[in-house]
Amino acid sequence: MLWLLALSFGALALTHAEDDATEAMNFLSQYHYLSTSRSGNHDVNTAIKNFQRFAGLKVTGRLDRATVTLMKKPRCGMPDDVAARSRVRRYKTGSKWRKTHLTYFIQHGRDLPHSQQDRIFQRALQYWADVSGLSFSRSSSSNADLKIRSHGGVYGERRCNFPFDGPGKVLAHAFFPSDGRAHFDEDETYTDGQSRGTNLLWVATHEFGHALGLEHSDVRRAIMYPYYTGYVENMQLHSDDINGIRSLYGTRLDC
């Protein structure tokens, strides 16, 4: 009887390991650590190492517990292309807005009152305006520079190539200039000023960073770190975020 029980647990552990390996391969491809045009153990090991290095984990090249755990945490849906490029150009995407005053349009989600969402999105944009040469104003037109929308599931946004995956995992994504779209997963429970649920202010500030031209940062305390770090009272931009946005748009005279 004991050997049957041990065999069952062994089979279950093997199944979990296989599931983790499959999920990890999908993750490495989705976030551009692994090229879809190449294969082989060397490339997989290198991809794992690059992910571990970028995420601040111990670099082992193996799917250890810490690596698998981080891969499963809620995060931004944009790829980590920066991990494969020189640190010298880390802040830049190769594109930015050709103007410093941008308009934004809001299509509200369902979790919070519209007035509360308006305040949160305005505040998220103001974080970037306060430390750079940027300014923002709200527009009633869906043709505004920045288009803020909420949708859920695979078919929630007709023109979006990055479908959401239900609660958790991918929280939101935004596209680099001058696309202007910032999408928030309607299947998440967005909240304000509390640790319960997903803090909309943190996610919005992060996604607007992408919409303005910033890539992901490997600095864990930075807003542009790809993983959701939870509600932070009196949230502030990290110096890494500030240096990044200023590299694109300069500094306000009164900063």
Side-chain angles (χ1 to χ4, degrees), residues 67-104:
T67 301
V68 171
T69 298
L70 187 58
M71 285 180 172
K72 294 180 178 181
K73 285 190 174 181
R75 60 162 287 159
C76 170
M78 296 301 288
D80 298 335
D81 288 331
V82 64
R85 295 220 293 266
S86 168
R87 292 283 297 172
V88 175
R89 297 190 68 254
R90 185 173 66 77
Y91 296 129
K92 300 183 179 181
T93 66
S95 65
K96 68 174 186 177
W97 293 94
R98 296 179 180 272
K99 52 188 175 180
T100 56
H101 180 77
L102 302 174
T103 58
Y104 65 95

Side-chain angles (χ1 to χ4, degrees), residues 30-243:
Q30 179 178 352
Y31 294 107
H32 294 188
Y33 288 94
L34 189 63
S35 172
T36 57
S37 61
R38 300 176 64 186
S39 61
N41 291 334
H42 174 73
D43 289 334
V44 173
N45 291 340
T46 299
I48 294 172
K49 287 180 179 179
N50 286 340
F51 167 70
Q52 291 169 332
R53 187 176 297 110
F54 184 71
L57 300 173
K58 182 178 180 181
V59 179
T60 65
R62 300 188 304 273
L63 289 177
D64 49 45
R65 183 181 299 274
T67 301
V68 171
T69 298
L70 187 58
M71 285 180 172
K72 294 180 178 181
K73 285 190 174 181
R75 60 162 287 159
C76 170
M78 296 301 288
D80 298 335
D81 288 331
V82 64
R85 295 220 293 266
S86 168
R87 292 283 297 172
V88 175
R89 297 190 68 254
R90 185 173 66 77
Y91 296 129
K92 300 183 179 181
T93 66
S95 65
K96 68 174 186 177
W97 293 94
R98 296 179 180 272
K99 52 188 175 180
T100 56
H101 180 77
L102 302 174
T103 58
Y104 65 95
F105 171 81
I106 301 174
Q107 178 180 295
H108 297 95
R110 58 173 176 248
D111 287 331
L112 298 169
H114 289 188
S115 60
Q116 196 169 3
Q117 294 180 56
D118 294 343
R119 175 182 57 78
I120 292 170
F121 289 132
Q122 180 183 28
R123 185 180 177 193
L125 288 168
Q126 194 62 41
Y127 273 109
W128 299 111
D130 284 344
V131 298
S132 72
L134 291 167
S135 61
F136 304 94
S137 62
R138 186 176 175 184
S139 172
S140 59
S141 171
S142 59
N143 292 321
D145 298 313
L146 304 179
K147 294 164 277 288
I148 303 165
R149 301 179 187 274
S150 296
H151 69 82
V154 176
Y155 303 107
E157 170 65 28
R158 183 176 55 187
R159 296 182 295 114
C160 181
N161 294 324
F162 294 89
F164 290 124
D165 49 14
K169 299 182 181 178
V170 176
L171 303 176
H173 56 242
F175 299 88
F176 297 127
S178 54
D179 184 297
R181 289 175 296 164
H183 294 162
F184 297 81
D185 187 359
E186 192 73 277
D187 291 332
E188 308 301 334
T189 301
Y190 283 111
T191 57
D192 180 36
Q194 57 182 287
S195 57
R196 181 185 63 84
T198 303
N199 183 249
L200 181 58
L201 179 62
W202 187 97
V203 178
T205 305
H206 177 98
E207 298 306 331
F208 293 158
H210 287 316
L212 297 173
L214 293 180
E215 293 184 332
H216 282 147
S217 170
D218 61 355
V219 178
R220 289 199 175 203
R221 294 177 58 194
I223 290 294
M224 295 312 297
Y225 186 66
Y227 288 90
Y228 177 64
T229 56
Y231 167 63
V232 177
E233 188 175 3
N234 298 320
M235 185 183 80
Q236 300 293 326
L237 295 182
H238 189 277
S239 59
D240 190 66
D241 302 308
I242 296 172
N243 291 336

Side-chain angles (χ1 to χ4, degrees), residues 14-29:
L14 181 60
T15 299
H16 286 167
E18 291 174 346
D19 289 344
D20 285 344
T22 299
E23 189 171 347
M25 290 293 291
N26 292 335
F27 176 97
L28 293 170
S29 296

